[in-house]
Amino acid sequence: MVQENVTRLRAYMQSIQATAVLLLQPENILYFSGFTGGEGALVVTATRAELWTDARYLEQAAQQAGLLYEIKNHQGKLASCIARTLTAEQVATVAYEPQGLTYFMYEALAQETTSSFVPADVVSLRAVKQRAEIAYTRRACAIADKAFAQTVAELHAGMTEREVATMLESKMLLLGSEEKSFTTIVASGTRSAMPHGTATDKVIEVGDFVTFDFGAVCHGYHSDMTRTLVMGRASTEQKEWYALVQEGQRLGVSLLHVGASCRDIDAQVRAFFAQHGVERYFTHSLGHGTGLEIHEAPVLSPRSTETLKENMIVTVEPGLYIEGKYGVRIEDSLAITATGCELLTQTSKELMELV
């Protein structure tokens, strides 16, 4: 998989008329080399590939990336080492990641090389997943599904959001997750109206909506799922709000197919909410890609210019948030297939009432 990724990276490099690519972002280093160490840089030209790291990671780098990369120790002088390679290879133009190259590093490189630097959309090369990447994401989703089921079985009124989040994260780790996908959200009662209401010491009470947004990680690939349940019996009003979000989420999922406009998918779900007079309560994008990062291309939003391609992975996560009262969100991770999409998160989306 890595060799194919490097081949595509070189093709992209040529397409933007660059003579080298400099990668510093950990996710890109992993994707294009297989190296999982905490410190490194890749320099790739048409004929050469170097992985620079320090003495702590030399053996690991050799094991993980030594077949494709020259493993080199920068000895605390990373910028100087990269500059020497650029000079030796007579690199005229270096493509770099805007998310990875700091101004400090750029200044250091500019002082030691005559190469020019152009921003590159390297992350877009990761948008269409390979079979193994989908399998890793599917496994991460399965871990999250199982951990959530175990957590719900032990959940009761009187627990704090933080206790529940810790329990859920622990169960994901025990089931094989490498880490939590992101800061786990457990938001109850009025706090469920906060789309990113990370867990606090608030006590979960009977009658609360409780929103969970969480994920597991497998081989670096992230799952993402949101479920909202009711502690106790749901009121008629709660059932109505939940049903609106559930139907909006079903609509979004039904629109996923190869060639679909990400902006149009988002727009159709917003139009559905507008028909019911609640569009002002939907305050974020409909969804996003996942992979080695929890937020990747493509994005399902009003600003998106992307279209769906086979083997992309996206979330569909509409929510309605009534400030000072409560909120509801439902989210799945899905892989785009030749015939539609594959649901990766399997937890039921029927309203759960914990009585």
Side-chain angles (χ1 to χ4, degrees), residues 19 76 98 103 107 126 143-144 147 165 201 226 237 247 308 339 345 351:
T19 42
Y103 184 74
E107 283 281 281
R126 301 185 348 229
I143 290 170
D201 289 325
T226 303
E237 184 181 71
E247 189 57 34
L308 295 179
T339 57
T345 40
L351 178 58

Side-chain angles (χ1 to χ4, degrees), residues 131-349:
R131 183 179 301 176
E133 295 176 281
I134 295 174
Y136 295 149
T137 306
R138 190 183 292 116
R139 174 59 183 155
C141 289
I143 290 170
D145 279 325
K146 189 170 183 179
F148 183 65
Q150 292 178 356
T151 299
V152 170
E154 299 178 32
L155 181 60
H156 59 81
M159 299 179 74
T160 68
E161 295 170 346
R162 201 183 310 276
E163 287 175 322
V164 176
T166 300
M167 180 168 63
L168 175 56
E169 291 169 358
S170 297
K171 290 182 183 299
M172 287 192 292
L173 292 172
L174 290 170
L175 288 166
S177 180
E178 294 159 11
E179 57 180 321
K180 59 187 178 184
S181 197
F182 49 90
T183 301
T184 299
I185 292 170
V186 178
S188 62
T190 58
R191 295 192 69 258
S192 62
M194 302 168 64
H196 276 193
T198 52
T200 68
D201 289 325
K202 179 194 173 300
V203 173
I204 298 171
E205 302 174 68
V206 173
D208 281 353
F209 265 135
V210 187
T211 296
F212 295 78
D213 191 345
F214 60 99
V217 178
C218 177
H219 288 272
Y221 287 83
H222 295 66
S223 73
D224 196 359
M225 179 170 74
T226 303
R227 292 294 185 268
T228 302
L229 55 79
V230 175
M231 180 58 67
R233 295 288 184 191
S235 68
T236 300
E237 184 181 71
Q238 285 176 316
K239 291 178 180 178
E240 290 171 350
W241 282 101
Y242 189 92
L244 279 172
V245 176
Q246 186 179 33
E247 189 57 34
Q249 208 262 352
R250 282 198 197 106
L251 173 61
V253 170
S254 74
L255 297 170
L256 300 181
H257 62 84
V258 173
S261 161
C262 294
R263 180 171 55 195
D264 288 350
I265 296 169
D266 178 277
Q268 289 193 53
V269 174
R270 289 183 195 280
F272 166 78
F273 287 138
Q275 290 170 7
H276 293 272
V278 297
E279 72 278 9
R280 67 187 181 279
Y281 300 117
F282 181 27
T283 57
H284 54 72
S285 299
L286 180 64
H288 56 86
T290 67
L292 292 173
E293 296 178 271
I294 188 58
H295 292 105
E296 293 191 357
V299 179
L300 280 62
S301 81
R303 299 174 300 282
S304 179
T305 59
E306 299 156 306
T307 57
L308 295 179
K309 297 180 175 64
E310 186 175 358
N311 294 332
M312 284 181 164
I313 294 176
V314 296
T315 68
V316 176
E317 51 179 299
L320 297 174
Y321 312 96
I322 303 93
E323 185 177 351
K325 194 171 186 179
Y326 49 58
V328 178
R329 182 167 67 255
I330 302 171
E331 174 188 24
D332 283 312
S333 293
L334 307 105
I336 306 303
T337 68
T339 57
C341 63
E342 175 193 351
L343 182 65
L344 301 177
T345 40
Q346 297 292 324
T347 298
S348 171
K349 292 181 284 291

